[in-house]
Amino acid sequence: MRQQIVAGNWKMNTTPTEGFALAKDVIAQSAQSPNNVELIICPPFTHLAEVAKAVRGTRIHLGAQNCAMWAEGAYTGEVSAKMLANIGVEYVILGHSERREHFGEQSAILLSKIQQALGNGVKPILCCGERLEERNAQQHIAVVNAQIESVISGLTAEQMQQVVLAYEPVWAIGTGLTATAQQAQEMHAHIRATVAKHFGDAQANATPILYGGSCKPSNAAELFAQPDVDGGLIGGASLKASDFIAIAQGFKE
Ligand code: 13P
């Protein structure tokens, strides 16, 4: 049985004060979500050390939204995976479409970042997803498979055991448009087949694949009911603790 996961990507939202209060709310309400669902929150860098202390000893896991592609040194403004690991960060979102678009993050950079994360015991949540014009041109499956393949083909089988994948169609992010459960299932099955091609069926069956893109309490249950959808990577709806927990309730106990 694969790990079911609901992860909140707060993006560049909340001040540290607001974020700490949100984390406290999530902790307080987390008992209302099924026990077998792993809950992860991914606040901005400025919040992490404080939130790490708050989540310690609770069922909430902590993730970052990025890390440097280098280990350390003269890289002004960057934050290393080692720094994240040191304060108790367990996950890091990598390859989000917003970072691909605004910061030019492509496969070679992502592979370096994943190596840094894994080398420091931080699990990558590797994102992929097509643009609307790519879907309209029927290229979505090829685009997403290429995004995944170009990165995971650089990993060892042992490393792949630590990787979580997330399918986030760009046209569904922050737009209110959600992939239908069938569209999500179709893509997730292709992604799992790509993992199987490189690492075999056992690893493919063990890798959690999350869906992201306007996932909310009203559509989570239908998405999570799909056989290859193992949870969600939640943007806007993760900024309200009750919505975030309601999404996790999309999984049955
Ligand atoms: P929304 O849930 O706001 O559409 O964002 C999804 C996302 O990008 C999570 O990483």
Side-chain angles (χ1 to χ4, degrees):
M1 191 56 197
R2 287 185 288 278
Q3 179 64 56
Q4 299 173 328
I5 296 173
V6 175
N9 175 7
W10 295 5
K11 308 192 180 181
M12 198 174 73
N13 293 298
T14 73
T15 62
T17 308
E18 291 163 349
F20 191 68
L22 175 55
K24 286 283 196 193
D25 270 356
V26 172
I27 294 164
Q29 295 183 36
S30 60
Q32 297 162 36
S33 79
N35 278 324
N36 47 351
V37 179
E38 185 164 319
L39 299 172
I40 306 170
I41 54 175
C42 305
F45 285 138
T46 45
H47 307 27
L48 287 172
E50 191 76 7
V51 173
K53 286 183 208 152
V55 301
R56 201 164 294 150
T58 76
R59 59 174 290 194
I60 307 298
H61 298 260
L62 190 60
Q65 300 173 20
N66 186 26
C67 72
M69 62 185 283
W70 306 280
E72 64 183 346
Y75 301 105
T76 302
E78 289 291 282
V79 174
S80 72
K82 188 176 182 181
M83 296 170 189
L84 297 175
N86 181 258
I87 58 167
V89 170
E90 296 171 77
Y91 291 91
V92 60
I93 299 170
L94 292 172
H96 193 282
S97 63
E98 289 151 15
R99 296 216 53 96
R100 291 178 191 263
E101 183 184 340
H102 301 300
F103 302 94
E105 292 192 1
Q106 295 303 335
S107 309
I109 293 172
L110 291 174
L111 188 54
S112 299
K113 292 188 173 200
I114 289 184
Q115 298 288 5
Q116 286 300 325
L118 291 171
N120 287 284
V122 179
K123 296 179 197 163
I125 301 175
L126 173 63
C127 304
C128 59
E130 83 283 2
R131 296 198 182 93
L132 185 59
E133 56 271 26
E134 292 164 335
R135 179 166 282 269
N136 289 341
Q138 300 298 318
Q139 290 168 352
H140 49 297
I141 290 165
V143 165
V144 168
N145 278 339
Q147 286 173 342
I148 291 291
E149 197 154 34
S150 60
V151 177
I152 68 170
S153 57
L155 301 178
T156 65
E158 197 182 6
Q159 287 178 318
M160 191 64 205
Q161 291 171 10
Q162 305 301 316
V163 176
V164 174
L165 300 175
Y167 169 55
E168 300 201 305
V170 177
W171 47 271
I173 295 176
T175 58
L177 290 174
T178 314
T180 64
Q182 290 70 30
Q183 286 171 325
Q185 169 56 29
E186 180 192 33
M187 187 63 85
H188 283 223
H190 279 284
I191 295 169
R192 202 174 301 288
T194 300
V195 177
K197 188 174 135 195
H198 286 270
F199 296 101
D201 285 343
Q203 181 57 59
N205 286 329
T207 297
I209 307 177
L210 315 183
Y211 168 79
S214 299
C215 186
K216 42 190 182 260
S218 59
N219 59 28
E222 195 190 354
L223 287 159
F224 298 170
Q226 302 305 309
D228 287 296
V229 178
D230 305 312
L233 182 54
I234 319 300
S238 72
L239 296 171
K240 199 170 152 203
S242 56
D243 281 354
F244 183 62
I245 297 301
I247 287 170
Q249 288 167 346
F251 281 115
K252 307 287 168 278
E253 190 85 54

